[in-house]
């Protein structure tokens, strides 16, 4: 069997087309486009790529995007001052501080300094809390992207056994919370696996929907996947590849070539969850523009 591809690039394009009209309406109502400011500190190459992709997606759809690039030596006080200025700027609807941050800066302190009504990542504890109790203001971009990709490709989660590999604040934990809520794209029986899970393979094999968000290249192998399972790969890992011009290539958390012979549907890397994350960020930027 060869699995169907869950084409995040195509689904994200559809979402962006739907959003374009909404952005035009918003822009005429606000008499300015919705505005998103992305802050990047230092020169993490992966972060630079992500920020460039987010900026480009905003420009294409009519969201005013500003990227603030700060040097790696930036102090926490300096970054807090930047966040405070953006909080006070009425033309900035959304603020995104790209993670990870350099070691001298506390990520929780920065996240908590962002005005929750501008927190398009849905990282602020107030927004995480609202989401967790089923009253979301924003939904976190990557988890929402996973759910939306499943929904739009006809894979409901209701009543299903879903295993999430990884418990990060950005993906695994919020995704598990969302899938455990009531609703057609929730109502799942969720198992969350992590580094202390004694039998990861068994927990994965029981899944009808398996979501890999561990950040470990190819940690999900074919033996860990039940025949016919739907497999969503959130991993974007750089692995050395001397044969490639860049010296590396992207690998997901899933051994794609082997798992596609076992699963019924699978996301590619790249072109699966990544574009969906950006589509959800644009959705949140529009939402933020209606909040104040
Ligand atoms: N680093 C990796 N993913 C993300 C994300 O979705 N948002 C931010 N701000 N940083 C990230």
């Amino acid at each position: 069997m060869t699995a169907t591809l869950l084409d995040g690039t195509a689904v994200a394009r559809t979402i962006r087309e739907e959003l374009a009209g909404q952005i035009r309406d918003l822009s005429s109502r606000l008499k300015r486009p919705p505005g998103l400011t992305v802050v990047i500190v230092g020169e993490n190459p992966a972060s630079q790529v992500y920020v460039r992709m987010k900026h480009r997606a905003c420009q294409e759809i009519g969201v005013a995007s500003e990227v603030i690039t700060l040097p790696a030596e930036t102090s926490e006080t300096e970054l807090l001052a930047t966040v405070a200025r953006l909080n006070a700027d009425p033309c900035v609807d959304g603020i995104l501080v790209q993670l990870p941050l350099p070691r001298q800066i506390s990520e929780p302190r920065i996240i908590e300094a962002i005005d929750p009504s501008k927190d398009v990542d849905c990282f602020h504890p107030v927004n995480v809390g609202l989401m967790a109790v089923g009253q979301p203001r924003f939904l976190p971009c990557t988890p929402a992207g996973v759910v939306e990709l499943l929904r739009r490709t006809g894979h409901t989660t209701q009543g299903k056994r879903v295993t999430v590999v990884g418990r990060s604040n950005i993906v695994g934990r919020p995704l598990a919370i969302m899938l455990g809520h009531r609703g057609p794209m929730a109502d799942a029986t969720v198992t969350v696996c992590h580094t202390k899970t004694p039998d990861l393979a068994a927990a994965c094999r029981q899944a009808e929907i398996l979501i890999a968000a561990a950040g470990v290249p190819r940690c999900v192998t074919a033996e860990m996947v039940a025949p016919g399972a739907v497999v969503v790969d959130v991993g974007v890992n750089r692995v050395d590849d001397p044969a490639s011009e860049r010296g590396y290539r992207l690998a997901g958390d899933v051994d794609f070539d082997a798992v596609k012979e076992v699963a019924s549907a699978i996301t590619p890397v790249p072109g699966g969850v990544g574009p969906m994350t950006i589509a959800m960020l644009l959705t949140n930027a529009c939402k933020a523009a209606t909040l104040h």
Side-chain angles (χ1 to χ4, degrees):
M1 180 168 62
T2 296
T4 309
L5 268 194
L6 301 175
D7 185 348
T9 305
V11 173
R13 190 181 306 124
T14 304
I15 295 171
R16 289 200 306 271
E17 284 163 9
E18 292 167 7
L19 278 174
Q22 208 179 310
I23 290 168
R24 274 194 297 276
D25 292 349
L26 256 174
S27 302
S28 63
R29 193 148 55 83
L30 297 169
K31 305 204 167 43
R32 60 165 180 84
L36 173 69
T37 298
V38 177
V39 182
I40 177 168
V41 185
E43 291 175 1
N44 180 308
S47 291
Q48 288 174 323
V49 172
Y50 293 142
V51 167
R52 207 176 309 131
M53 286 163 70
K54 290 169 184 176
H55 180 58
R56 208 172 291 155
C58 286
Q59 286 181 316
E60 276 172 22
I61 206 169
V63 169
S65 164
E66 183 196 13
V67 178
I68 298 177
T69 305
L70 299 175
E73 321 75 69
T74 301
S75 69
E76 187 175 289
T77 310
E78 286 167 327
L79 183 54
L80 286 170
T82 300
V83 169
R85 177 172 68 73
L86 298 172
N87 283 344
D89 185 338
C91 290
V92 174
D93 298 300
I95 302 168
L96 183 153
V97 178
Q98 186 68 26
L99 305 181
L101 291 170
R103 286 190 5 222
Q104 72 276 17
I105 302 177
S106 153
E107 290 183 355
R109 268 204 283 272
I110 299 302
I111 289 167
E112 284 174 39
I114 295 170
D115 178 340
S117 74
K118 299 188 177 191
D119 170 35
V120 287
D121 268 321
C122 194
F123 288 171
H124 192 289
V126 165
N127 288 328
V128 177
L130 286 170
M131 182 276 291
V133 296
Q135 297 169 31
R137 168 154 50 188
F138 296 109
L139 289 173
C141 301
T142 301
V146 169
V147 171
E148 196 59 14
L149 181 58
L150 289 169
R151 187 178 77 80
R152 288 180 184 247
T153 53
H155 298 281
T156 59
T157 57
Q158 204 157 38
K160 300 262 171 69
R161 293 183 304 276
V162 178
T163 296
V164 180
V165 184
R167 56 177 162 184
S168 70
N169 285 342
I170 296 185
V171 187
R173 198 186 316 277
L175 183 54
I177 293 170
M178 286 164 62
L179 291 170
H181 279 144
R182 290 177 204 275
M185 280 316 295
D187 279 336
T189 302
V190 184
T191 302
V192 183
C193 300
H194 45 73
T195 45
K196 301 292 186 293
T197 299
D199 192 346
L200 176 64
C204 289
R205 263 196 306 270
Q206 67 167 10
E208 294 162 276
I209 299 175
L210 176 59
I211 301 168
V216 179
R218 298 207 189 86
C219 63
V220 173
T221 59
E223 302 72 49
M224 298 162 76
V225 177
V230 173
V231 178
V232 178
D233 190 349
V234 183
V236 184
N237 309 290
R238 288 182 177 210
V239 295
D240 289 342
D241 181 6
S244 149
E245 206 175 295
R246 296 174 297 190
Y248 70 88
R249 104 195 106 76
L250 293 182
D253 285 0
V254 174
D255 181 359
F256 182 87
D257 289 336
V259 170
K260 78 176 195 308
E261 302 303 325
V262 181
S264 64
I266 187 168
T267 62
V269 176
V273 175
M276 294 299 297
T277 296
I278 294 180
M280 294 300 112
L281 173 64
L282 298 170
T283 304
N284 281 351
C286 291
K287 176 84 196 284
T290 66
L291 287 180
H292 54 98

